[in-house]
Amino acid sequence: MHLLVLGGTTEARRLAESLTAEKGIKVTSSLAGRVARPRLPPGEVRVGGFGGADGMAEWLRAHRVDAVIDATHPFAGTISFNAAAAAATVHVPLLALRRPGWVPSDGDRWHTTDSLAGAAELLPGLGRRVFLTTGRMGLAAFAGLDALWFLMRSVDAPDAPYPASMEVLLDRGPFTLDGERALLRRHGIDVLVTKDSGGAATAPKLLAAREAGIPVVVVRRPPVPEGVPVAGTPEDALAWLRSITGARA
Ligand code: NAP
């Protein structure tokens, strides 16, 4: 069986790792190529776009793919919709692997919104020194906020346009609670912006913000394409894969 894993996440890498032990499954992981030095999963890896849904359908056919697991980041909406369309075109089973989103706890001061533009609208009413953790893409949404100062953390350096008053912190999770507490203090942060990425690796910032009484702007996830089954963990994805392999036998 040839399985295509659409990756770029810790879960995708973990899935590829656990699949190396499975007999009779060849795994190809696909990365967009956004990160200069990605952590590569085991098995075969291809890098770069497919050329839209049609390009992916063609790739699935040409490489005789039997199943696709879309383990991309919850905010990578385009590739997920392309995968749904391509899998439907070539009649290949598709599963979305999505780590569960974060949920607020007592003491959290969350403000939710559907987009980075929505987050930018909320910010002036919430603080002046912003810890921006939404990644290096889409910073144009915050570019007009000249009265605010930004600490922007990302794996690779961002391209303009971005806010005029911005310090860039190049770093990659997992992050610790102590580290996040120190960061908020050192930079006098009074508001945090995050996507609802979920997962443990970047969650400590939420706890640090709660402890410090700092408001958090949380950008909600885009929906998973309709009709695509969802697994919350690599283990559940593996169980799905076994179920369809069994069905094929
Ligand atoms: P996106 O908006 O959904 O995708 C844009 C285009 O990038 C797609 O149409 C596709 O090009 C290509 N692409 C995306 N993921 C791909 C993959 N795994 N393999 C091959 N091509 C891929 O995605 P994005 O938000 O730019 O994110 C890009 C990648 O970074 C994703 O794989 C995602 O898992 C990872 N990532 C994203 C975020 C985030 O916040 N968005 C955070 C962490 C990691 P074609 O149309 O040419 O096929």
Side-chain angles (χ1 to χ4, degrees):
M1 168 183 240
H2 186 192
L3 172 72
L4 174 67
V5 176
L6 301 170
T9 57
T10 309
E11 286 75 12
R13 218 174 44 248
R14 272 181 47 208
L15 180 65
E17 280 163 9
S18 42
L19 282 167
T20 55
E22 293 283 310
K23 285 207 180 80
I25 297 183
K26 172 188 161 187
V27 181
T28 302
S29 295
S30 175
L31 303 176
R34 298 275 191 287
V35 175
R37 283 178 295 117
R39 288 180 187 152
L40 292 179
E44 287 196 22
V45 178
R46 66 166 298 287
V47 181
F50 294 90
D54 290 346
M56 194 190 296
E58 199 41 56
W59 200 94
L60 296 178
R61 252 192 229 110
H63 294 83
R64 297 176 179 280
V65 171
D66 299 296
V68 180
I69 296 186
D70 166 20
T72 56
H73 191 271
F75 282 84
T78 311
I79 188 76
S80 296
F81 278 87
N82 288 353
T89 303
V90 296
H91 305 291
V92 162
L94 167 70
L95 175 81
L97 170 55
R98 291 283 182 283
R99 60 180 91 136
W102 291 316
V103 283
S105 295
D106 282 354
D108 277 328
R109 297 172 56 200
W110 284 17
H111 301 258
T112 51
T113 179
D114 282 326
S115 64
L116 294 180
E121 268 179 42
L122 288 169
L123 276 178
L126 295 174
R128 289 282 170 275
R129 295 182 65 82
V130 185
F131 184 21
L132 191 55
T133 64
T134 50
R136 70 188 178 100
M137 312 296 282
L139 295 180
F142 304 95
L145 298 174
D146 291 338
L148 309 187
W149 179 86
F150 290 83
L151 175 66
M152 201 286 299
R153 181 167 67 191
S154 61
V155 175
D156 289 315
D159 297 319
Y162 44 66
S165 218
M166 183 176 89
E167 183 175 327
V168 176
L169 174 60
L170 296 182
D171 205 352
R172 185 188 333 230
F175 301 106
T176 65
L177 180 56
D178 279 350
E180 301 295 56
R181 282 180 183 135
L183 206 62
L184 297 187
R185 255 196 322 267
R186 186 165 358 124
H187 293 281
I189 299 297
D190 57 13
V191 59
L192 165 69
V193 186
T194 181
K195 292 174 176 171
D196 178 16
S197 299
T202 59
K205 64 188 170 189
L206 298 171
L207 184 47
R210 185 190 311 153
E211 285 177 0
I214 291 172
V216 181
V217 178
V218 180
V219 182
R220 288 188 211 97
R221 297 171 168 203
V224 173
E226 220 178 301
V228 176
V230 180
T233 62
E235 293 69 30
D236 289 347
L238 207 54
W240 173 83
L241 196 60
R242 287 190 184 126
S243 76
I244 62 159
T245 315
R248 280 161 172 274

